[in-house]
Amino acid sequence: MANLSFIIFCPLVAAVLIALLPRTFNVLFRAVALLATGLSLLGAVRVFVGFDSAATGLQYEQHFRWVDALGIGYHVGVDGLNVGLVLMAALVAFAAVCVSREIRERQQLYYMLVLAMAGGILGAFASFDLFLFYFFHELALVPTFILIGVWGRGAQRNYATFKLTLYLSLGALVALIGLIALYVQAGQTSFNLLHLTRHLALNPMAPGTQSWIFGLLLFGFGILVSLWPFHTWAPLGYAAAPTAAAMLHAGVLKKFGLYGLIRIALPLLPAGAQSWMNLLALLCLGNILYCGLVALRQRDLNHLLGNSSVAHMGFAFLGIASLNVLGVTGAVVVMVAHGLLAALSFALSGFLYHRLGTLEMDQMGGLLQRLPFVGGVMVMAMFAGCGLPGFANFPGEALVLFGAWKSYPTVTVFACWGALVIAAVYMLRAVRAIWHGPPLDRWKDLVDAPNLWVKLPYALLLAGLLVFGCFPRLLTDPMQPVVSQIVQRIHGETVTP
Amino acid sequence: MNAVLPWLVLLPPLLAAVTITLGALKRPVAAARLSIGAIAVSLAASVVLFARDASGVTSFTWLQVGGLAVEFGLRLDPVSLLMLLVVTGVGGVIHVYSWGYLEGDPGRPRYFAGLSLFSFAMLGIVLSSNLLQMFVFWELVGVSSYLLIGFWHARPAAAEASKKAFLTNRVGDFGFLLGLVLVWTTMGTLELRELEARLTVQPGALGAAATAIGLLIFCGAVGKSAQFPLHVWLPDAMEGPTPVSALIHAATMVAAGVYLLSRIFFLLNAPALTVVAWIGGLTALLAALMALQQDDLKRILAYSTLSQLGYMVLAVGVAGAEGTPVAAMYHLATHASFKALLFLGAGSVIHALHHQQDIWRMGGLARRMPVTFLTFLVATLALCGVPPFSGFYSKDVILVLAWEHHASLLFLLVVFVAGLTTAYMFRLLLVVFAGPARSQDPDHAHESPPVMTVPLLLLAVPTVLAGFWGHRRLVGTGLRCAGLPHRFVGGTSDCPVRACAGAGSGGPGRGVPWRWRGLAAVPGCVARSAAGTPGPVEPVDAGSILLRRVVRPTDCRHSGRGGLVGRRV
């Protein structure tokens, strides 16, 4: 079970299986999906536990040849950088299937798409082949569009789908051009990431070439991660998306861009990276401050969560921009933490939407009395969102701030303000509006999550946040060798020219 | 040092909080037992540690990335031992009291979970061995305070107050975090002991950033200890249940800022200390003036807390760069007991009057609630600095410091505030406990059950005696007057001017509320009634105050105006 291909293909095979089942077997679709993502989660836990943080190099590696002529292979493995991400992705995928109880129409297609998304995401994070990496990402991205278009909600659904599709396709396209350019410039021999790294370490590209390729990757991946000012698709899209799609996309798929930057762009284009980092540091302030302030003004819970999620991405970008061990490690911790957090928040808002039929915060109030469990978990999630210690976001953001101070002190001061004050203001205002205050009569018949089974996905995600928050070394220790290698490559390169 | 005992202090409250949250949210009795049991274990472990005079650090590495190594350590030294006793002692008493105060409230399990979480976080601050760890617990204290202020979250005022408290604190924490980052970039470590050792050897190591570092970290203390200009949240925080106000917003959490300052005292240079002293003095003055204007029982005490916190912060500021902040810690310890006692007494009154908090609807409660009255009186005397109660000694030391450091303006200011303190406290005491009932409410009042009065009596013990306990044992570094006889007379022999000023300032203070509109607001004056008819002769001194139970004081019914003296009922 502790086998990456098993983890990746469990959901994908299950998707095919569901496609083959007769259309009337509604109960089975969900059961198969739960089983597949559950197995995949167990596998990911086994991999995470079995991961040897003292060893260097890839673990659980699997390598098959695929298209020899182009140097494409099926190559998966984990090192310290992605072992946490794979676990987080598997956990979110399982939780997303759990909360899909609300879907009543076209269940067959729905579960197929969700499983394809889950498999694609897991594959993308585990890949060590550029082609495979991109392939899995597209496998996950396309179902997102369909999920939002078909099962989405709200009056702006079509517009949101349209906008999100355009933005994300554009981002993916720019990133693809960047990746192809990288492949071509590196000698067109292999898509294998390890080969490329070794090759480019020995024969680095000219700094000018590195710079424009890095620019393509930065903005391509940046659009996928909602880098300011290309972020406007995100809040709209998440507000319109069905719960599972919002969880999977905001939580996990979005991290693909950041992961691509850290895994591919930084080590392969070290000189290029340095030429763009000042700009990136400024843009991430756009995320942290501008989107944080926008979140303040939202009256719809999902818009608030969407903007807050965009704001949190700013910290990951800032960590990358600082180009030191602390910052990059912090960025990865933020990715894992925010993945769990975004999934949890959207799962809870989905629960609320399902019960209330609206997410307008003005119409809520005093709900904590009716929904103590969901309310309690959401209050905790919101505290996690404003960087409370004990939740995984805190070590991530703290590392980013410590790291960024060395490179960009002024930016760090503003980021600190965004992390501690702005985030707290919008989160606590939301808590006040939704959960506190006198209970309203119109919600007197609400029913809380009735049993353990319904509570499970929320509890799992929250537990993830708490475990990594209390013991951040689970994530950071395995990461150290990889991150220091990447950083050394960047700073080693500055000395030579 | 025994490596298990410090953990036995820290972890039981956390375990209680987690267990209640997971399994006892519908079982109030079990929750209360767990919570009280946990704090009792912490208290016992603290007492053992204190008795052994333990010192040292036990730690493990919490986070290690690049050049940043963060230990999770428990540090024991005289300062943290004293603070442990304060937190677990006062905390334990208040845990028990809460059981009585919240009798019948359906949210009790949630309350006790919050209280245990708070105890854990507060003990964490006390035991922290490095600054980032302290920041972690600092935030946790903030959030438990949020949860407890907002305990009755269905009440809009409580919900707003909890939000305000957390956000105001966050503004202070912004400075604190920046200060941490600056310390780390200049010194390369966040371990307090290492920092202290390095700065002792090489005092200029902080370079140009020294003042900035000191003031940024001070921002954190300004937020948590509610100093001007971030004092705005504390009065509103009185929306929480009264035991919470006693524990968190009087005795412990708000004192955390002062504790932080004494922990990072070596980081503060002379300019930073001047700012600290003036912020403290200003807060003491402003809060005392505001306390005079309040009609809500708990808000008067809240402003009084602000004012006393101002004293402590000032004490840190005037300790001088070569000194030690023992005076602040001493006042912190005595203040924790008598202010908690005042709040619990107020809680007892509020409980008896079915959540009536307006002092002008009380009156004559001394007869109906004798235990509450007597303990409240003792605490009031301590707060006003009447010898030989504990407050006299701790306030006295602060006056000495201000005098000796030639901060004559600050000295005059605190002497004036000492007078104001007496004024607003006796106003409160007399209006609530003396005279006839001012509304129907007190008619049905009766003394609270033993579960509430026993904690009052327990807290009265340190309130009376803490001044006699040798400081050398209490605060580690000796002040000049250590032994009991010397302590008692020391106040006057060391510095007669200051001693007379301190004691004298209380006199007019006690006279002022007694006969506000009378011109003869001087010690030992004759009080006359508002209507101009001759009143009883009232010598104003500590002994005569006890007599006031049976003597009718000025009655607000004669006074047709609101504000300081009374208002139309």
Side-chain angles (χ1 to χ4, degrees), chain A residues 316-332:
Chain A
F317 280 121
L318 183 60
I320 294 175
S322 61
L323 285 183
N324 53 37
V325 176
L326 280 175
V328 176
T329 310
V332 180

Side-chain angles (χ1 to χ4, degrees), chain A residues 323-326 328 482-492:
Chain A
L323 285 183
N324 53 37
V325 176
L326 280 175
V328 176
V482 200
V483 174
S484 16
Q485 249 177 26
I486 294 175
V487 172
Q488 269 165 19
R489 190 163 293 134
I490 291 168
H491 293 295

Side-chain angles (χ1 to χ4, degrees), chain A residues 326 329 368-369 383 386 389 394 399 402 405 413 416-417 420 424-425 428 431-432 436-438 469-470 472-473 480, chain B residues 61-63 65-66 68 135-136 139-140 143 146 153-154 156 159-160 163 166-167 170 173-174 177-178 181 184-185:
Chain A
L326 280 175
T329 310
L368 198 54
Q369 303 212 330
F383 271 115
C386 51
F394 173 75
L399 283 173
F402 275 91
W405 180 267
V413 172
C416 210
W417 181 258
L420 284 175
V425 174
L428 291 195
V431 171
R432 168 73 185 86
H436 291 170
C470 294
R473 287 180 78 186
Q480 286 319 290
Chain B
T61 306
W62 182 66
L63 185 63
V65 179
L68 179 73
F135 183 80
V136 165
E139 293 286 297
L140 289 180
V143 81
Y146 171 85
H153 53 73
E160 293 296 339
K163 193 177 77 176
F166 191 81
L167 294 180
R170 267 292 169 103
D173 296 350
F174 166 68
L177 186 59
L178 285 181
V181 177
W184 183 71
T185 30

Side-chain angles (χ1 to χ4, degrees), chain B residues 29 64 109 123-124 160 167 180 185 258 269 290 330 336 349 370 373 391 394 401 451 486:
Chain B
V29 178
Q64 181 150 32
L123 291 168
E160 293 296 339
L167 294 180
L180 286 192
T185 30
V258 179
N269 60 6
M290 287 190 260
Y330 186 33
V349 169
F373 167 67
S394 54
L401 278 175
V451 69
H486 191 92

